[in-house]
Amino acid sequence: MNEEIDDSEFYHEDFTTASDWEILVAHMEEIINQGKSEEKNESSTAAGLWEIKSEKLVYIDSNFDFIWYKKNCDEDLSEGSDDKSKHPLDKWHDFTLEEYSEDQFKDICLAKWYGLDEFLVLSPAGKIGATNNESRAKILLSAAAVVANNSSIEVPLFIQVKDKWQQVYLGVYEANNIRTSFDIVHLKRGLYYCQYLTGLLDLFKTKIRSPCTIENIFVSYQGTYQLQEFGNFIWKQDVLSNSMDIESLYILPFGVTVDPLQTLLLKAIWSRLSEHSVIDTESYTDFDPMKAQKWHCEAVFTQEPICLLGDALGEFLELLNNDSSVYDVLGDFAVMHVPESHPLDLLTESPVPSFSHLLSRAARSSLISNKRGNPPLNEGVLVPLLYFLFPDADENSMFPYGVKDEKEPIQKKFKLFQSLDDQFKGFKTSNEDSLIWRLSIVLSHTLQTLGGIKAFCHIWYEFVQEMRYRWENSMLIPGVTPGMPDLRTCLLNQKLQMLNCCLERKITRETVKYSSAENSEDSDDEFFDATDDVEEDKRKYSLWDKPAGRLSKFGDMKLLNSGDPLYIPFTQDPVLKTEDQLEEDTDILLKLGTNQEASELRARIMSASLLSDMESFKAANPGSLVEDFIRWYSPRDWIESEELDEHGQKKGTLSPRMQLEDNIWVEMWENARPVPANRQKRLFDDTREAEKVLQFLDFRTMSQISELLVPILSHAAICRLVDEIENLSSAIPDAESRVLSLLKHGERISRDTKFQPKRFEVFTQEVIALELNISQINSLQYKLNPQGVDDEDVNRSIGDLAHGKPIKIENKEQSLIGSRIVSMFTESQRLHSSSVSPNDHQDLPKSPDVIFPVAVQKEFVLRANCVRPSLYSAKSPQFLRAVLGKAEFRLVGAFSEDTAFF
Amino acid sequence: MMAGADPKWQKDAADQNFDYMFKLLIIGNSSVGKTSFLFRYADDSFTSAFVSTVGIDFKVKTVFRHDKRVKLQIWDTAGQERYRTITTAYYRGAMGFILMYDITNEESFNSVQDWVTQIKTYSWDNAQVILVGNKCDMEDDRVISFERGKQLAEQLGVEFFETSAKENMNVKAVFERLVDIICDKMSDSLDTDPNLMSGSGKGQRLTDAPQGPQTGNCNC
């Protein structure tokens, strides 16, 4: 068995003599050639700043990424046509303003250090892959050298060596008879003599070892100064308002709790100085930031600070997973309202003690008067909040409903939308500043700052108690749009509208009862019958057949039989439904199916109001026929002819469809008894419906409450954001599209038939991002432009900084931003020097006009053009960059040689 | 209360044999021929007189469009003034409206504007409307010319058809056109709003394979 030759293996044996190393080289060349041919075909229209192509390679047992970085630049045009032959080091990109996002492109540091526009990197695959072995590094580098030589790409090729975090690369470039070697030194602490320019120049010269004197070395320098103590200019949302003002609970929270700006970096830059024109030694330096050629500034932001608005939404998001009811959470504190379980109890003991005056409403709250311990919210907080929700309880309320628009004359800097309200057209929510709007704001505060879920339940409980109190005492609910349940609004709003409609009917009924009790001589009829011809009527009709419930005459129509005037009867008010009830009804209708019987059954179900109208009509028009009813109710089903009858009106017949056999209309007419609307069975039982609403509110679980409020909260959150955006001095460039996206998400959330928490989560994330941006701009504005000078450049700079872009400060300290930076540094230095003991003068030179602290990072770039390696060689570029940080010392070098004359 | 033990109801409730469901409404004045129109489309039958609709009724028809089964749930409404509050409650979630008048009846034509206002008030913004002048077989009694109808439709920015449920003219065309415009509108906003068609919670996404008991339902 063992001796059997595996055929497949046999035939796959590679008899070529190419080594792994040669295969690697061939692979790299192949990729490069392919890349080049692709490049010719495509016109580079890629969106990003850097175009990146990545391929995987295997060498022996290790995986490598071979990555091609190319900058999408159009500046080639300005640099002239001989650009191609130019050495990549000669771009003079010493300190650029570009943002290098290292998260995205791990090798982008090479572009920053050498100022390259295009380069290739071969690096070990994976996050921790390393080429620690020196001989291995050499093998790879020689592969790179062969590739650079063979393929005529004029692009530097790098090998990443050592541990990845060290970012150490070796590289090679070869073109136009010049070979450049790239080398990096990375140490924890710098060599002593390399801390200053003089030492570095010596090092550079030694390293070049040019056979003739080096003519001139160009020096560029960048010193980075960081500002972290902002003194009086620490910015928090709370800065503007007093922290625990009760009125701050009346709007949604906004902003961050720590300064979103962590560090402000100032970079003082000198470029292309001659080595002889500057001195930088331990004892003296020409590099005083105030005298720098350029200033760049960059902002470092606090990582994920807590954003209050987003956090408030997040609390609701969390609540969505909580299925306990209000009573579960409140436990003993709450007294469960058990409606009509013991009817006698209702008579003797009201579950909510009814006080005569509303002003004492807090006292009647059963929670507070409860002796079983302290309620979650104490009276001092609860009472103002309840007054805010129900301002009609206080005659002198500062916050009545429906007056907000008048007291808003503050001129906004700019308007994001012509009419924000229009943007909410498709939103199923409630009106701005309505009762449930306020309720959701208050509830979000309870979750966030006032004690969490317990406080939340407490407010909800009080809210429901108040609803019940108002129903039992026939008081309309404030802050609810009048009218029947509006299906375009959110469910909670519909429920309250429903409750208010029930209340209205209850109140009408009670006032009618009251007035009819006063005029007791009359019958208990609540309608005022049309009075004309009453006397005549009395003669005509017998006692049991007296007309009742007449609203008005219907034109000059007369009954067909008797010729008496045709009266429109009082009818029952329409049946009101909220959308959940409608959905149930629809489901019932749908479940019946589509056949003929089902159709008839549906007609029967729907016919209750028809029957009621018929009965009312019969009562108002004794002796009327179905024809009379149809003439009023469905005039198109009465076909008139030219002939006149004995009462002087046109004769006519019912339409064919009304004459059909087993016609539900005629059938019902025959069954209808003459009963005026007020004595009929109510089609809409307001007491029952109100109780349904109250029960609905009472027995919501946490997650259901949260669901009810999410649409309103989303609406309120967007309004809050827009408000903040419109007050910003520097516009967020994509603010409008971001708000539109929020609107779209919010609208969808509010309209989903089944609530989808995921959507709300996305919405919340977007809110947080925008809120953070706004806070960052606010913070920068507060620091850099505290007077709020309206200057386009300043605003743009602040906007750029907030977007993480470095900015150039024109005119340095003479500019507005520059002068602010100087004074903040001065302030910070003064604070610092007073706290530091005087003998600790190592970091702190004691001159009085010191403005800036010691640079946290110094960067030197030295460049020269030298003949190497021999006297008769051509001149080639030499380069050394030294990065001197606090915990890092890095030398980044590139040294060229003539490959033709050596 | 209606959910009885009758098996046919259950079958119907479980009938998910479609890719989308569109809810359509036929509205217009009393006796313009809404019910006849619907019967002609759904059952391909015509009776000169149907009992005047009480409240609201519906029929279902499944059509194919681009290899997708579209289930149309078509609600037929009572035209009488007194039924307005009941019927308008059903406007919500409707994706298309057939607004009908009777070409032999001036009043029904004059009410069109009112009906449009009703749609604007009670339906979602993206509902599609087609104006239909019915009973065009009754040329002798015609009082509304084709041009007047056309003009009004242009004014309202909706499409227009003259139809006859009796002669089966344009009935199918109206529904097909309405389905088309709803689909167009839907694909416009599909990437932004995949839930558009699930107004009733029963529709499915374009890309989703039909779920539910459809395979089990197949009796062949």
Side-chain angles (χ1 to χ4, degrees):
Chain A
M1 285 276 269
N2 287 345
E3 287 165 51
E4 243 177 65
I5 295 166
D6 187 334
D7 281 358
S8 59
E9 203 172 286
F10 179 81
Y11 285 112
H12 279 96
E13 190 78 33
D14 187 356
F15 288 108
T16 56
T17 51
S19 68
D20 286 331
W21 185 81
E22 283 168 312
I23 292 169
L24 176 71
V25 170
H27 262 159
M28 285 164 73
E29 281 178 23
E30 192 186 333
I31 291 167
I32 287 169
N33 288 330
Q34 197 185 342
K36 277 169 94 178
S37 61
E38 274 173 19
E39 203 168 274
K40 273 174 198 151
N41 297 335
E42 64 181 290
S43 51
S44 71
T45 47
L49 190 59
W50 285 87
E51 194 183 329
I52 285 157
K53 275 178 258 170
S54 178
E55 299 273 353
K56 298 225 173 299
L57 284 179
V58 183
Y59 175 57
I60 310 182
D61 54 350
S62 315
N63 290 312
F64 289 90
D65 288 323
F66 191 46
I67 311 168
W68 194 325
Y69 292 86
K70 191 174 193 310
K71 193 177 184 180
N72 287 320
C73 46
D74 30 37
E75 60 196 86
D76 288 28
L77 305 167
S78 59
E79 297 219 4
S81 54
D82 60 336
D83 204 47
K84 284 277 174 261
S85 59
K86 210 170 167 185
H87 193 280
L89 280 174
D90 288 344
K91 305 250 184 197
W92 287 99
H93 294 159
D94 288 346
F95 304 108
T96 54
L97 259 184
E98 272 155 37
E99 36 185 336
Y100 295 99
S101 148
E102 296 198 11
D103 315 332
Q104 252 177 303
F105 323 123
K106 53 193 171 63
D107 304 311
I108 214 80
C109 51
L110 288 169
K112 187 166 71 177
W113 291 329
Y114 290 110
L116 298 174
D117 285 343
E118 186 175 12
F119 56 96
L120 289 148
V121 179
L122 181 71
S123 67
K127 271 221 153 79
I128 42 159
T131 321
N132 274 324
N133 183 326
E134 193 178 342
S135 66
R136 229 174 152 178
K138 288 247 163 86
I139 290 170
L140 290 176
L141 184 62
S142 59
V146 171
V147 171
N149 209 345
N150 286 353
S151 59
S152 56
I153 49 153
E154 296 172 13
V155 176
L157 219 158
F158 290 91
I159 310 292
Q160 183 165 26
V161 296
K162 301 219 173 172
D163 289 326
K164 276 204 166 174
W165 63 267
Q166 283 197 286
Q167 296 188 310
V168 175
Y169 298 83
L170 299 174
V172 49
Y173 164 86
E174 197 158 345
N176 305 323
N177 295 330
I178 286 181
R179 182 195 297 125
T180 306
S181 309
F182 298 84
D183 204 345
I184 290 176
V185 175
H186 185 233
L187 299 171
K188 255 190 195 149
R189 305 204 53 180
L191 303 167
Y192 174 71
Y193 60 90
C194 286
Q195 299 291 336
Y196 299 94
L197 181 61
T198 17
L200 286 167
L201 280 171
D202 286 344
L203 180 80
F204 190 48
K205 285 174 192 161
T206 326
K207 181 77 186 161
I208 293 170
R209 265 192 306 174
S210 180
C212 64
T213 47
I214 300 163
E215 283 166 20
N216 195 7
I217 299 177
F218 285 104
V219 177
S220 299
Y221 172 77
Q222 171 180 283
T224 306
Y225 302 88
Q226 73 175 17
L227 180 64
Q228 280 179 317
E229 289 159 18
F230 301 110
N232 292 329
F233 289 93
I234 285 188
W235 192 86
K236 274 192 272 185
Q237 195 72 34
D238 293 345
V239 162
L240 301 171
S241 64
N242 301 331
S243 51
M244 256 317 278
D245 199 353
I246 200 85
E247 282 182 27
S248 69
L249 299 178
Y250 299 168
I251 52 170
L252 277 177
F254 185 87
V256 288
T257 46
V258 292
D259 196 324
L261 183 64
Q262 190 202 47
T263 311
L264 203 61
L265 294 175
L266 178 73
K267 294 180 172 174
I269 295 168
W270 289 259
S271 294
R272 299 183 81 162
L273 305 170
S274 159
E275 64 169 309
H276 306 297
S277 66
V278 284
I279 300 173
D280 176 52
T281 63
E282 194 183 341
S283 50
Y284 175 80
T285 180
D286 277 334
F287 297 128
D288 174 0
M290 296 300 281
K291 295 177 192 145
Q293 293 170 346
K294 273 193 290 190
W295 276 5
H296 286 178
C297 182
E298 218 177 310
V300 180
F301 295 106
T302 314
Q303 288 295 304
E304 297 181 8
I306 290 177
C307 299
L308 293 173
L309 180 59
D311 189 55
L313 299 182
E315 295 277 2
F316 277 86
L317 197 60
E318 218 159 277
L319 214 57
L320 286 169
N321 301 318
N322 191 333
D323 279 329
S324 43
S325 77
V326 172
Y327 293 102
D328 293 341
V329 175
L330 288 178
D332 276 352
F333 289 122
V335 179
M336 176 94 71
H337 182 86
V338 187
E340 287 147 289
S341 56
H342 306 287
L344 287 176
D345 283 0
L346 275 179
L347 292 176
T348 52
E349 180 189 24
S350 172
V352 181
S354 46
F355 283 91
S356 55
H357 204 266
L358 256 177
L359 276 170
S360 51
R361 82 151 306 287
R364 75 165 182 263
S365 143
S366 44
L367 267 200
I368 281 182
S369 53
N370 203 310
K371 290 187 180 71
R372 280 168 281 199
N374 290 324
L377 279 174
N378 67 41
E379 212 166 320
V381 179
L382 180 65
V383 172
L385 289 183
L386 290 176
Y387 273 128
F388 174 61
L389 293 178
F390 303 100
D392 59 342
D394 177 3
E395 282 164 20
N396 309 313
S397 172
M398 305 279 288
F399 308 98
Y401 284 112
V403 290
K404 210 192 169 194
D405 291 340
E406 292 164 22
K407 53 171 190 179
E408 221 183 355
I410 312 147
Q411 197 58 51
K412 292 273 173 64
K413 188 166 184 306
F414 67 101
K415 273 247 167 275
L416 199 57
F417 298 106
Q418 274 305 310
S419 162
L420 189 59
D421 286 345
D422 282 356
Q423 301 295 326
F424 288 105
K425 258 188 179 165
F427 237 83
K428 273 168 73 74
T429 163
S430 72
N431 279 355
E432 208 170 315
D433 201 36
S434 59
L435 169 58
I436 53 173
W437 174 282
R438 291 186 182 188
L439 178 68
S440 51
I441 290 173
V442 166
L443 284 173
S444 78
H445 281 292
T446 59
L447 280 179
Q448 212 169 20
T449 52
L450 297 177
I453 290 180
K454 282 205 166 181
F456 176 90
C457 290
H458 191 172
I459 291 284
W460 181 264
Y461 174 83
E462 293 292 341
F463 166 73
V464 178
Q465 290 299 305
E466 181 68 25
M467 293 296 109
R468 194 171 283 286
Y469 177 85
R470 283 176 186 258
W471 166 250
E472 280 162 7
N473 294 281
S474 307
M475 288 152 55
L476 284 179
I477 297 151
V480 178
T481 332
M484 30 191 264
D486 186 346
L487 301 179
R488 286 166 302 166
T489 63
C490 64
L491 185 58
L492 184 56
N493 191 51
Q494 291 177 34
K495 292 283 176 195
L496 294 193
Q497 283 184 319
M498 176 69 118
L499 194 54
N500 250 357
C501 286
C502 295
L503 269 165
E504 269 166 24
R505 293 190 186 180
K506 186 183 178 207
I507 291 166
T508 331
R509 208 169 46 237
E510 281 169 354
T511 46
V512 164
K513 232 178 233 163
Y514 179 68
S515 62
S516 66
E518 278 191 336
N519 318 329
S520 53
E521 77 274 12
D522 212 22
S523 67
D524 56 343
D525 194 348
E526 70 181 63
F527 302 121
F528 301 94
D529 286 346
T531 45
D532 8 45
D533 308 324
V534 172
E535 317 234 318
E536 186 197 336
D537 286 349
K538 272 189 180 152
R539 277 182 283 111
K540 238 175 184 175
Y541 302 107
S542 47
L543 258 176
W544 56 88
D545 202 15
K546 241 175 29 189
R550 287 175 170 176
L551 175 66
S552 65
K553 279 187 185 173
F554 187 48
D556 53 1
M557 282 212 188
K558 292 174 189 140
L559 296 182
L560 294 171
N561 260 357
S562 59
D564 292 334
L566 192 156
Y567 283 92
I568 299 173
F570 278 103
T571 49
Q572 289 205 35
D573 289 330
V575 176
L576 303 178
K577 296 249 158 93
T578 53
E579 72 183 37
D580 51 338
Q581 294 172 317
L582 262 174
E583 212 151 286
E584 280 168 29
D585 287 3
T586 314
D587 276 349
I588 290 170
L589 294 183
L590 284 172
K591 273 188 186 140
L592 292 177
T594 52
N595 55 22
Q596 182 63 31
E597 299 93 74
S599 200
E600 278 166 23
L601 201 48
R602 269 194 288 276
R604 302 240 168 257
I605 295 172
M606 308 282 294
S607 64
S609 70
L610 179 61
L611 181 66
S612 152
D613 288 344
M614 282 178 170
E615 295 193 331
S616 308
F617 187 85
K618 272 192 177 176
N621 300 290
S624 56
L625 302 172
V626 68
E627 283 84 350
D628 294 314
F629 177 74
I630 295 294
R631 280 158 73 206
W632 164 57
Y633 205 81
S634 182
R636 288 265 279 147
D637 284 303
W638 176 248
I639 296 156
E640 289 179 336
S641 61
E642 289 308 309
E643 269 180 79
L644 296 182
D645 63 7
E646 68 260 40
H647 307 297
Q649 56 186 352
K650 283 179 181 168
K651 279 186 176 175
T653 49
L654 284 178
S655 65
R657 66 175 183 175
M658 283 299 171
Q659 293 178 29
L660 290 175
E661 274 181 47
D662 60 13
N663 179 336
I664 186 169
W665 293 68
V666 177
E667 190 185 308
M668 282 181 65
W669 175 260
E670 277 155 15
N671 293 331
R673 296 164 303 129
V675 183
N678 60 325
R679 282 189 222 130
Q680 290 170 8
K681 183 172 180 284
R682 271 190 286 171
L683 291 174
F684 178 81
D685 185 344
D686 48 58
T687 315
R688 235 182 75 197
E689 291 301 324
E691 188 53 47
K692 273 193 205 164
V693 173
L694 293 172
Q695 297 257 340
F696 174 88
L697 296 176
D698 216 355
F699 294 106
R700 291 295 95 183
T701 62
M702 300 283 94
S703 66
Q704 284 168 327
I705 295 173
S706 176
E707 251 175 64
L708 284 174
L709 295 173
V710 158
I712 312 147
L713 261 175
S714 312
H715 180 183
I718 294 174
C719 287
R720 188 81 173 86
L721 280 173
V722 169
D723 202 39
E724 290 286 339
I725 291 170
E726 288 180 345
N727 282 321
L728 279 180
S729 54
S730 19
I732 299 176
D734 52 352
E736 188 176 346
S737 66
R738 289 166 79 176
V739 171
L740 282 175
S741 155
L742 280 175
L743 281 163
K744 196 170 243 170
H745 275 119
E747 185 173 320
R748 221 189 286 170
I749 291 167
S750 73
R751 281 167 57 167
D752 272 339
T753 24
K754 193 175 176 322
F755 182 74
Q756 296 181 26
K758 193 87 199 149
R759 289 216 170 131
F760 187 52
E761 201 179 327
V762 173
F763 179 87
T764 307
Q765 292 305 328
E766 283 185 24
V767 168
I768 289 175
L770 195 50
E771 184 184 9
L772 187 56
N773 270 171
I774 294 168
S775 301
Q776 288 165 347
I777 289 187
N778 276 333
S779 169
L780 287 165
Q781 181 74 24
Y782 185 62
K783 293 181 176 69
L784 301 178
N785 184 11
Q787 273 87 43
V789 177
D790 191 9
D791 180 310
E792 207 175 300
D793 287 335
V794 171
N795 290 340
R796 196 181 334 102
S797 299
I798 290 177
D800 282 348
L801 277 179
H803 263 70
K805 285 188 201 153
I807 56 159
K808 184 179 175 191
I809 301 173
E810 307 281 353
N811 296 332
K812 298 191 296 182
E813 79 280 3
Q814 257 110 61
S815 68
L816 183 71
I817 292 181
S819 68
R820 277 298 307 149
I821 289 176
V822 169
S823 69
M824 279 195 294
F825 266 111
T826 321
E827 169 118 349
S828 156
Q829 274 308 98
R830 213 180 35 237
L831 280 171
H832 208 248
S833 61
S834 58
S835 65
V836 174
S837 55
N839 56 359
D840 189 13
H841 52 88
Q842 178 107 30
D843 308 334
L844 202 76
K846 289 294 292 175
S847 74
D849 60 340
V850 162
I851 295 169
F852 293 93
V854 176
V856 287
Q857 183 179 289
K858 297 197 283 183
E859 238 177 299
F860 295 91
V861 177
L862 312 178
R863 291 169 185 275
N865 251 329
C866 299
V867 290
R868 266 186 93 202
S870 308
L871 254 174
Y872 44 85
S873 301
K875 276 192 175 178
S876 55
Q878 317 295 333
F879 176 97
L880 180 73
R881 177 184 289 252
V883 183
L884 289 76
K886 265 188 174 150
E888 176 178 72
F889 174 81
R890 189 186 290 275
L891 290 175
V892 179
F895 300 95
S896 313
E897 289 182 328
D898 190 335
T899 52
F901 303 97
F902 54 89
Chain B
M1 56 169 176
M2 288 301 152
D6 192 329
K8 76 170 185 280
W9 291 350
Q10 266 148 35
K11 190 204 160 226
D12 198 67
D15 181 19
Q16 302 266 323
N17 215 346
F18 55 89
D19 298 306
Y20 313 111
M21 192 182 70
F22 292 170
K23 179 178 166 184
L24 310 178
L25 250 79
I26 310 179
I27 56 172
N29 274 13
S30 150
S31 83
V32 296
K34 296 182 290 294
T35 308
S36 304
F37 190 78
L38 179 55
F39 269 74
R40 170 59 83 187
Y41 181 63
D43 299 352
D44 197 20
S45 64
F46 182 79
T47 318
S48 60
F50 281 101
V51 174
S52 182
T53 309
V54 178
I56 192 156
D57 196 6
F58 80 98
K59 279 199 170 289
V60 169
K61 185 161 170 110
T62 306
V63 295
F64 283 84
R65 189 188 180 274
H66 299 333
D67 299 332
K68 296 279 179 197
R69 278 156 307 184
V70 181
K71 179 173 166 180
L72 303 179
Q73 187 187 81
I74 311 159
W75 291 84
D76 177 22
T77 60
Q80 283 89 0
E81 188 67 35
R82 287 284 296 167
Y83 280 110
R84 284 284 169 89
T85 39
I86 296 176
T87 53
T88 49
Y90 287 83
Y91 283 23
R92 199 178 75 93
M95 302 168 71
F97 286 86
I98 293 173
L99 202 179
M100 190 174 289
Y101 67 88
D102 176 355
I103 63 154
T104 68
N105 182 271
E106 177 90 33
E107 196 193 335
S108 71
F109 181 75
N110 294 338
S111 308
V112 166
Q113 188 61 56
D114 287 348
W115 286 106
V116 170
T117 316
Q118 297 270 317
I119 295 174
K120 287 221 173 95
T121 318
Y122 294 104
S123 78
W124 294 124
D125 291 343
N126 49 11
Q128 302 297 309
V129 183
I130 286 187
L131 180 66
V132 166
N134 195 26
K135 303 192 189 175
C136 73
D137 51 288
M138 296 165 73
E139 205 48 65
D140 296 343
D141 298 320
R142 180 193 277 275
V143 290
I144 307 298
S145 68
F146 181 83
E147 284 67 34
R148 277 184 74 189
K150 181 91 192 145
Q151 206 184 344
L152 179 61
E154 272 164 18
Q155 223 172 20
L156 298 169
V158 302
E159 299 207 20
F160 174 67
F161 285 87
E162 273 197 357
T163 63
S164 163
K166 187 177 179 185
E167 304 291 336
N168 198 5
M169 272 172 62
N170 272 343
V171 176
K172 206 172 164 202
V174 167
F175 281 98
E176 278 173 356
R177 185 65 201 134
L178 187 54
V179 169
D180 277 353
I181 27 187
I182 293 170
C183 284
D184 289 351
K185 173 93 182 180
M186 203 168 69
S187 49
D188 281 352
S189 55
L190 194 66
D191 40 359
T192 53
D193 193 355
N195 251 47
L196 192 75
M197 67 290 262
S198 64
S200 69
K202 287 192 176 107
Q204 282 159 14
R205 295 190 52 172
L206 243 182
T207 48
D208 287 348
Q211 304 154 347
Q214 55 134 172
T215 40
N217 252 8
C218 185
N219 291 331
C220 43

